[in-house]
Each structure stands twice: as C-alpha cells, then as structure tokens.
Amino acid sequence: MSISVEEGGPDLALLSDPQVRDALSALMNESRLAARWGGLSPETRQVHQEILRTFLTEGAPPAASEFRAETLADLAARDLVHVRDREIALAYPFSARPTDFRVRLRGVTIHAICAVDALGTAAMAGTAAEVTCVCPICRTGVDITVASDGFAVDHASRPEARVWTGVKDVGTCAADSQCKTMRLFCGPEHLAAWRRSQPPSARGFDLSLTQGVQLGAAIFRPFMQSPHDRAAS
Ligand SMILES: [Zn+2]
C-alpha cells in the first residue's frame, strides 16, 4: 500500500538529493506511512489540521476537550497527536512543552519535537521560519532562517551545523524514540563527539542544514495540504 501526498505521505517529487531521499525512506517506510495515514477519515484529518492550525496561530494546542475522545485516540494510534494528562502534549511537528527546537512563524513562537520537525515547519505553514536549535554538546543556539518555500536556508548563524537523523525502531511514539536522535549540532566536531557516546550500532544520516530542511519539508508539507490545495496549486 502506497500513501499519496494527498493522504499525507511524503512529497518525494520535491526531493532531488539522493542522500535526503535515502534518509526519508529509512525514516518513513511504507508500513509506517500506512499505519499513520491509511484509511484516515476526512473528519479525523480535519481535526488533525485544526490542532496544527491552533499551534500555528496560538503557539499552543487547543484544549483536548474540544474534540471527541475517539478521534484523539485514532490520531494517537497513528502516532500523529498524543494526549497526556488530558492535554494535547504533541502534534508532530509541535510540542506543547518547551524543547531545544524553537520556531518562529508569522511572529508566533512554537516548540518543535526535534530538529527535522523544526526545519520542516516553514514548508508545512507556507511561510518563512526562524528556527533556533540548541547543540546538545555545547548548548550553543544555532539560528536558521528557512525560506518561505520551505526548501532552502536563507541564513544560518553556523552554516557548518549538522543535522543527525537517527534511524530507530519507532514503536508507538516517535517522539519518545526516533525524535530523541534527531539533533542539530553546531558543527561536525560536536556531532562526532556525540556519536562517540552512542552505541556503535546506532544508524543514521549526517545531513547539512539544507538537507535537513529538505527532509523536514518533504515530511511535513503534506500535513496541512488538502487534495483541494494541491489541485489549485
Ligand atoms: Zn556544539
């Protein structure tokens, strides 16, 4: 079963870089995509997009009580939205709690779950984004301006920064597993230092900022699209 862009699947057509395509297929294999998007009802899709829209306008999620519990349970089973302590805690790419990955979109500050999520928000929202990611080794904040098309870097305070995208078994929640290995480092030295602390078997892709932005864009651009948007564009 193959998941189309209209259904929420990644936008491969926009990726020409083979390393980014490889990273994307390692992160989002067919079975994971099918588990996420397969048979998603239009009503649930609408709720998913409404939650993301509230994050984009308010910097915070809507109250979980605004939605039917069954709908939220469906989104949780698909690993798209998770409720904790009766509040929406996360809806990829966004987190209700502060993280090391901060995004400013149209003047609203929102926290992202991981580096790739932060870098993909511009493409999802269809606007330029100012992203700040904290290097896990030296705690330096790296500022990146992502262009309004969501696929290019306009400016970076540390152009040599690296995006590590770890490939792990996701289980039921990527935020608790895979996302913990999606980090942005101030440069190759600190990525290398961090990798030395990881098990030698840890797999992943060492990407440039532009590659990280393109990977995030391919994953998240379809999240806010509808078949109607696509036909119109
Ligand atoms: Zn560093």
Side-chain angles (χ1 to χ4, degrees), residues 13 81 106 108 215:
V81 174
R106 299 189 186 97
V108 178
L215 175 64

PDB file of all heavy atoms in Angstrom, residues 13 81 106 108 215:
ATOM      1  N   ALA A  13       8.483  14.062  -4.760  1.00  0.00           N
ATOM      2  CA  ALA A  13       8.711  14.736  -6.032  1.00  0.00           C
ATOM      3  C   ALA A  13       9.579  15.978  -5.850  1.00  0.00           C
ATOM      4  O   ALA A  13      10.234  16.430  -6.788  1.00  0.00           O
ATOM      5  CB  ALA A  13       7.372  15.121  -6.649  1.00  0.00           C
ATOM      6  N   VAL A  81      -0.870  12.599  16.960  1.00  0.00           N
ATOM      7  CA  VAL A  81      -1.154  13.511  18.075  1.00  0.00           C
ATOM      8  C   VAL A  81      -1.160  12.679  19.348  1.00  0.00           C
ATOM      9  O   VAL A  81      -1.706  11.573  19.348  1.00  0.00           O
ATOM     10  CB  VAL A  81      -2.552  14.173  17.903  1.00  0.00           C
ATOM     11  CG1 VAL A  81      -2.916  15.011  19.126  1.00  0.00           C
ATOM     12  CG2 VAL A  81      -2.606  15.023  16.636  1.00  0.00           C
ATOM     13  N   ARG A 106       5.400  33.629  11.416  1.00  0.00           N
ATOM     14  CA  ARG A 106       4.492  34.793  11.442  1.00  0.00           C
ATOM     15  C   ARG A 106       4.440  35.403  12.844  1.00  0.00           C
ATOM     16  O   ARG A 106       3.361  35.713  13.366  1.00  0.00           O
ATOM     17  CB  ARG A 106       3.078  34.392  11.010  1.00  0.00           C
ATOM     18  CG  ARG A 106       3.002  33.849   9.591  1.00  0.00           C
ATOM     19  CD  ARG A 106       1.553  33.675   9.133  1.00  0.00           C
ATOM     20  NE  ARG A 106       1.477  33.036   7.847  1.00  0.00           N
ATOM     21  CZ  ARG A 106       1.269  31.724   7.674  1.00  0.00           C
ATOM     22  NH1 ARG A 106       1.121  30.931   8.715  1.00  0.00           N
ATOM     23  NH2 ARG A 106       1.217  31.218   6.463  1.00  0.00           N
ATOM     24  N   VAL A 108       4.819  34.044  15.733  1.00  0.00           N
ATOM     25  CA  VAL A 108       4.397  33.158  16.822  1.00  0.00           C
ATOM     26  C   VAL A 108       5.533  32.177  17.122  1.00  0.00           C
ATOM     27  O   VAL A 108       6.090  31.567  16.209  1.00  0.00           O
ATOM     28  CB  VAL A 108       3.122  32.377  16.418  1.00  0.00           C
ATOM     29  CG1 VAL A 108       2.703  31.414  17.530  1.00  0.00           C
ATOM     30  CG2 VAL A 108       1.999  33.345  16.082  1.00  0.00           C
ATOM     31  N   LEU A 215      14.525  17.468   4.013  1.00  0.00           N
ATOM     32  CA  LEU A 215      13.915  16.267   4.600  1.00  0.00           C
ATOM     33  C   LEU A 215      12.661  16.645   5.394  1.00  0.00           C
ATOM     34  O   LEU A 215      11.591  16.034   5.228  1.00  0.00           O
ATOM     35  CB  LEU A 215      14.943  15.578   5.511  1.00  0.00           C
ATOM     36  CG  LEU A 215      14.441  14.365   6.292  1.00  0.00           C
ATOM     37  CD1 LEU A 215      14.039  13.232   5.356  1.00  0.00           C
ATOM     38  CD2 LEU A 215      15.528  13.872   7.263  1.00  0.00           C
TER      39      LEU A 215
END
